[in-house]
Every structure is written in C-alpha cells, then in structure tokens.
Amino acid sequence: MTKRFLLLPFLLVPALAVWGSNCDGSGNCYIRAAAAGTRDGSSWTNACSGFAGACAPSNMTRGVIYWVAAGSYSSATFNTAASGSTNITIRAAAPSNHGPAGDWNSGFAGLATISGVNYITTPYWIFDGQSRGADWRSGYNFHFINSTDGSNAPFVISAANLTFQYLDIQGTTNRTGPSYNDNGILATASANNLYVGYCYVHETGNTQFQLNYGTSNNATFEYNYIYLNHTGQNDTHDEAFSITYSNLIIRFNVMQDIMWTAFISDANCCTPNLSNWDIYGNVFYWDSAYASGSYTPFLGNGIVGLTGENWSGYLHF
C-alpha cells in the first residue's frame, strides 16, 4: 500500500504538466489585440496581443484551443511540432462560445481580421470561425485576407490533416495585372486529409484552391461560397479548383463568376495518377452583370475540365 501512494504523484504530475505549461493551465489560451494586462494568454484581461509571446507558434501547445477576440492581427507561420495526431485549434471567440475564462466581455466579440500570408508547415491544425450568416457571405468571425501579395494566399499549406471551417478567406481583390496570381488556399507540398467547409473564399487574382502540387489524398469541400476568380485579368489559366487529389469530394458549394479553364480542373496535364472524384449538389453560375461585363468571361474546358491525367476508380458528377 505504501508503494502505491508513493507512486501516485509521479503518475499524475506529467499529465498535469501538459496543460500547466501553457496559458490558463486547462487547455485554453486567449488572444485579444487590445489586451493590456500581462499578455501571457491566461485570461481575456491578460490575453496575448496576437500570435506572439505565449501564443506564438513556437510556444504553442498541442491540444490547446487558442481563442481569438475581435481585432486586427498579423499573419503567422504555424509550425508547432506535431505530437501524434493531437490538434491545435485556432478558434474565433463568439458570444455563445468563448472559452471558460470568467472575465469575458461581450465587447470582445466581433470580427477578427488576420492580414497577410499564413504558412502552415506542420500537420494537425483546426481553424474555426464557429458561425456565419444565412447568405454564406457575411457574418463571419474570422477574416483572413491577403490584400497585397500577388504570388501567395491567405493560407499556404505544406502539411496534412488540416481543417478550415467558417472562415472568410479573401484574395488581393481587383488588383489587375501579371503580378496578381494569388489564391485562397495554396499548396506547396502534398497535403493529405484536407477539410474546407462553410467558408467564403473570394476575389482571388488566380484560383481559389490551388492544390495541384503532386499527388494528395482525401479532401472534402462542402457548403462553401466560392466567388470571383481571375481578378488579376492576366494570361494565367484560372479556376475555382485546380486540384490533383485522389479520393476527392466537392459537394453542396456555390461557385459564382468563375472563368478561364473550368470551374474545377486537374490543370496539371499528365501527372499524377488520379482516382475517385465525387462532385455533386453544387451550383455553378455567372450573374448577368458578370456575364455581360467589359472583361468577357469564358470557360475553355467546361465546368469540369480534365487535361490528360491517368485515371483509376471513378468520377461521379
């Protein structure tokens, strides 16, 4: 019996230390641009002022939720080392769900805008804005915008197991010319197990989802509003999806005012091998003003344009 009691503290301490090493000690960190306390992330009063200090990716802890209040923030490189399959969640604070800290104030709710290019280089991240409006184009709590970098995107990804939900993702927006080939989400390496749902991805100089970097597996895109590509009006081929995934689901999305190659294309000619696409329940359309505008839209390869990859399995449309 004595040995049991002596061992018990050594069994409990490591489990508690996982949480105790970061922010409130219970799996929550708080980020608020206007916070003026200690800025250690332990409460809304003492929140980090951005993705810095205790809330910098270099100091983040796997399994923790980082709650983000309304305000303006700079982008970051999300590169916290993986720990098995444990996620880090970046979550917008909402009136009904904002973490357990007792010093919450309703004035902290609203739109959190993250400007610039966010790089995600390690796996297992969740970006969650929690809610949106009924029109799918308003009412978001998170706005990720890359307003100036014409060669990048609000999210540049090179890792697997990523979730993006309830986000407003905006490109450079009507900046014309050859320098503006920006995207909404851009992959620079294979990125297996990708989920994008309930997002508004819009006004990109090039393509909303530029995901044709080699072979990736398992992606689902659902209930997104995807609006206005090719705002750069240059000579690059553009789509809503330029994608070379196998085991791909694109369903229940609205795609408005998309032009050039197709709404959805592999856009990579000949490699890699692809399989198993399910595309269903989507709405594809041009509004009348767009269709008759001074920059006449066209589709070179139809709604779904395939350019010569080797296929196995199925394609369901």
Side-chain angles (χ1 to χ4, degrees):
M1 294 298 292
T2 303
K3 288 183 179 180
R4 286 187 185 176
F5 284 111
L6 288 173
L7 287 173
L8 184 58
F10 296 97
L11 293 173
L12 290 176
V13 167
L16 291 172
V18 171
W19 300 123
S21 64
N22 198 274
C23 299
D24 73 350
S26 299
N28 301 278
C29 291
Y30 301 91
I31 299 173
R32 183 168 65 90
T38 61
R39 296 184 175 175
D40 61 4
S42 61
S43 66
W44 287 114
T45 300
N46 297 315
C48 302
S49 59
F51 297 109
C55 301
S58 59
N59 293 320
M60 286 182 173
T61 301
R62 289 281 162 181
V64 169
I65 299 173
Y66 291 80
W67 301 90
V68 184
S72 297
Y73 303 93
S74 297
S75 57
T77 296
F78 295 93
N79 57 1
T80 310
S83 178
S85 59
T86 304
N87 285 298
I88 292 175
T89 300
I90 311 297
R91 179 168 290 158
S96 60
N97 189 23
H98 42 75
D103 56 347
W104 168 258
N105 184 302
S106 60
F108 301 161
L111 183 64
T113 298
I114 296 87
S115 299
V117 179
N118 297 276
Y119 295 90
I120 306 175
T121 63
T122 54
Y124 295 104
W125 294 85
I126 298 172
F127 291 82
D128 178 17
Q130 296 209 66
S131 64
R132 66 176 177 186
D135 65 355
W136 296 16
R137 301 173 73 175
S138 64
Y140 289 88
N141 299 308
F142 260 152
H143 182 204
F144 290 85
I145 180 170
N146 165 38
S147 59
T148 59
D149 189 341
S151 63
N152 265 308
F155 290 105
V156 177
I157 64 174
S158 56
N161 300 95
L162 304 178
T163 295
F164 303 92
Q165 58 191 23
Y166 295 101
L167 309 178
D168 180 340
I169 302 172
Q170 185 174 2
T172 53
T173 310
N174 294 324
R175 294 173 181 261
T176 60
S179 298
Y180 294 101
N181 299 313
D182 58 288
N183 311 112
I185 299 178
L186 168 64
T188 58
S190 294
N192 298 333
N193 306 320
L194 173 65
Y195 177 84
V196 182
Y198 305 89
C199 293
Y200 179 34
V201 189
H202 58 110
E203 295 169 285
T204 57
N206 187 281
T207 294
Q208 276 83 355
F209 299 108
Q210 189 76 41
L211 303 171
N212 62 344
Y213 188 99
T215 301
S216 295
N217 287 295
N218 302 323
T220 297
F221 301 83
E222 61 183 4
Y223 301 102
N224 300 292
Y225 203 113
I226 303 163
Y227 169 65
L228 196 59
N229 72 336
H230 195 66
T231 64
Q233 297 182 10
N234 48 51
D235 291 331
T236 61
H237 71 80
D238 301 339
E239 305 83 27
F241 290 86
S242 180
I243 191 162
T244 52
Y245 271 74
S246 289
N247 304 307
L248 170 67
I249 299 172
I250 300 174
R251 62 186 179 189
F252 309 131
N253 303 281
V254 175
M255 302 184 212
Q256 178 188 350
D257 298 346
I258 303 298
M259 69 166 290
W260 200 272
T261 301
F263 280 82
I264 301 166
S265 178
D266 46 17
N268 204 35
C269 187
C270 311
T271 57
N273 297 327
L274 300 178
S275 62
N276 302 343
W277 282 20
D278 281 297
I279 302 170
Y280 60 92
N282 303 285
V283 176
F284 308 89
Y285 81 102
W286 295 341
D287 65 32
S288 58
Y290 182 75
S292 60
S294 58
Y295 193 79
T296 305
F298 66 90
L299 290 174
N301 288 16
I303 289 177
V304 179
L306 304 178
T307 58
E309 278 71 17
N310 294 317
W311 273 82
S312 60
Y314 57 80
L315 190 157
H316 295 153
F317 180 83

